[in-house]
Amino acid sequence: MIRLVRLLHKLSGNAAYRSHLESLLPVSARFDPGHHAVMMGYDFHLAEAGPKLIEVNTNAGGIWYASLFDDPEAVEFPARLGSRLLKTFYDDYARYRNAPDLRPQTLVILDEKPAEQPLYAEMQVFAALFNKAGIETVLADPSEIATQEGGLYLNGKAVEMIYNRHCDFYLQTPEMEHIRAAYLQGQVCLSPNPHAYGLLADKRRMMLWSRPAIMQGFGLSDAEVSLLAATVPETRLLAELTTEEAWGTRKQWVFKPETGYASRGVYVGDKLTKHKLAELVHEETLIQRRIPPSLTLGADGQSFKTDYRLFVYRDRILGVAARIYQGQVTNLRTENGGFAKVRLIA
């Protein structure tokens, strides 16, 4: 899993790969702000043949919840993890400013109505981490941020950095228009940002990674192409199949909206009805070769489906968590399920 993460980070800087994507990306994603994404998440299922990449995220959550195993009453990150996360934010801001020693003085953790989000508590812990380090930090909805000459302001103070937990990844909705304008003018360090999302987290990128012939054209080595082939499940556009082919092979696929998140609109093929298949927009739906999740047994004998998330900055592994659940797709609603700590054994 780590080898794949590091290969994909390397690929994101590949000139031929970037050139190939140029015409496919919206304007907001073509702009390179000079820095990366503070909290990438790479999600895997563990198959008999080894790990398989299911999805890449730029605003991955859960790293704090997974750390609670050691201290369920904790209200801050463990010291070592907190230091690692702070370094990540410092490094990304320094890259934005092209000045190794510069740190942000003000930071906004941005989401749509943050207090109503399922991971609100985690965002509060991040805010506490930053405030303790001397970075004035506030959780805010986009509507609370104002545009003034020279950039974005909150409560009369300039916003130097935004930790973006919002799910408008390309900044295309009206509520994010002022954030987009400031970002494209280089007035704020927005991390993660549309550029990182377009290179690695847009689900359509997996259509490229699962095609060895195309990847070879980007100058990857045979070993690198083989690694992609072994870890990235076949991903295609539903429009590539006729309706009859899609229905006949549905149990082999997972159906995903190309711009969805949090498992919204995702259907495992054997649960798909003809009516729902007919409703899907074939040009906007991806099909991914189905990789059944591994199982974790609970203390009471319950069985939980399990996937694994690597939290990453560039090629630096920040942590790992599992998500355990029951039902068709990953969720945080299963009793005794949710984020879990992973114990690594040498």
Side-chain angles (χ1 to χ4, degrees):
M1 290 189 281
I2 292 172
R3 286 173 56 216
L4 177 65
V5 163
R6 290 178 172 163
L7 172 57
L8 292 179
H9 171 68
K10 177 183 175 182
L11 181 64
S12 71
N14 179 298
Y17 176 75
R18 287 183 171 220
S19 177
H20 179 87
L21 293 178
E22 183 71 18
S23 63
L24 303 176
L25 296 176
V27 172
S28 63
R30 294 177 205 164
F31 171 67
D32 184 352
H35 60 100
H36 298 269
V38 290
M39 192 67 70
M40 298 286 289
Y42 293 79
D43 297 341
F44 293 85
H45 281 178
L46 298 188
E48 289 185 6
K52 302 291 184 181
L53 181 70
I54 302 303
E55 193 166 277
V56 180
N57 304 277
T58 48
N59 63 350
I63 195 167
W64 176 64
Y65 291 95
S67 75
L68 288 176
F69 181 86
D70 294 320
D71 183 3
E73 304 302 321
V75 293
E76 60 183 22
F77 286 109
R80 184 178 177 185
L81 177 58
S83 296
R84 194 181 303 154
L85 293 172
L86 273 176
K87 176 173 171 48
T88 293
F89 281 81
Y90 292 158
D91 286 358
D92 212 45
Y93 184 76
R95 287 176 178 275
Y96 160 72
R97 294 292 299 269
N98 196 26
D101 298 323
L102 275 184
R103 296 180 177 180
Q105 300 300 307
T106 58
L107 186 148
V108 169
I109 300 175
L110 188 75
D111 205 345
E112 181 180 7
K113 299 178 180 177
E116 298 179 14
Q117 296 299 325
L119 301 187
Y120 175 61
E122 179 174 84
M123 289 187 274
Q124 289 180 303
V125 174
F126 268 103
L129 175 71
F130 301 141
N131 280 310
K132 189 175 181 179
I135 305 171
E136 187 174 342
T137 303
V138 178
L139 277 66
D141 180 272
S143 64
E144 299 176 77
I145 297 178
T147 299
Q148 296 183 21
E149 185 177 354
L152 301 174
Y153 285 75
L154 179 64
N155 301 327
K157 294 187 177 181
V159 177
E160 295 181 344
M161 185 173 190
I162 292 177
Y163 173 26
N164 188 22
R165 299 286 291 246
H166 200 285
C167 291
D168 176 10
F169 307 112
Y170 283 135
L171 311 178
Q172 294 175 315
T173 58
E175 68 172 332
M176 295 290 279
E177 187 173 344
H178 59 313
I179 308 294
R180 169 193 167 100
Y183 165 68
L184 292 178
Q185 293 176 53
Q187 295 174 334
V188 65
C189 177
L190 180 70
S191 188
N193 53 63
H195 187 62
Y197 180 81
L199 291 175
L200 291 173
D202 189 315
K203 292 180 178 63
R204 289 167 288 195
R205 299 300 84 86
M206 294 187 72
M207 294 171 60
L208 282 179
W209 304 340
S210 63
R211 286 169 165 77
I214 296 179
M215 300 312 297
Q216 286 173 334
F218 299 142
L220 272 64
S221 69
D222 290 343
E224 290 171 332
V225 173
S226 295
L227 177 60
L228 288 171
T231 52
V232 180
E234 180 185 2
T235 306
R236 304 170 65 179
L237 200 62
L238 179 55
E240 295 179 32
L241 303 184
T242 65
T243 301
E244 292 74 21
E245 289 173 329
W247 178 251
T249 62
R250 68 190 184 283
K251 294 182 181 180
Q252 302 173 23
W253 305 102
V254 176
F255 296 73
K256 299 181 175 184
E258 61 183 14
T259 57
Y261 58 91
S263 297
R264 297 180 182 180
V266 175
Y267 298 93
V268 176
D270 59 0
K271 304 296 183 183
L272 194 69
T273 64
K274 275 191 173 182
H275 178 72
K276 178 53 65 176
L277 177 61
E279 288 184 343
L280 298 177
V281 180
H282 288 213
E283 293 77 16
E284 299 176 2
T285 301
L286 299 180
I287 54 173
Q288 186 179 85
R289 189 67 65 178
R290 185 183 178 189
I291 310 296
S294 52
L295 299 177
T296 298
L297 293 179
D300 57 359
Q302 280 186 299
S303 180
F304 296 89
K305 296 175 181 177
T306 308
D307 68 10
Y308 295 85
R309 170 170 290 177
L310 266 61
F311 297 93
V312 180
Y313 174 63
R314 303 181 73 239
D315 58 356
R316 184 193 307 163
I317 309 302
L318 303 172
V320 60
R323 294 183 296 178
I324 59 175
Y325 63 99
Q326 294 170 339
Q328 185 179 177
V329 295
T330 308
N331 64 79
L332 297 178
R333 298 181 297 277
T334 300
E335 186 175 357
N336 295 323
F339 291 104
K341 183 172 182 176
V342 175
R343 182 180 292 109
L344 301 178
I345 301 174

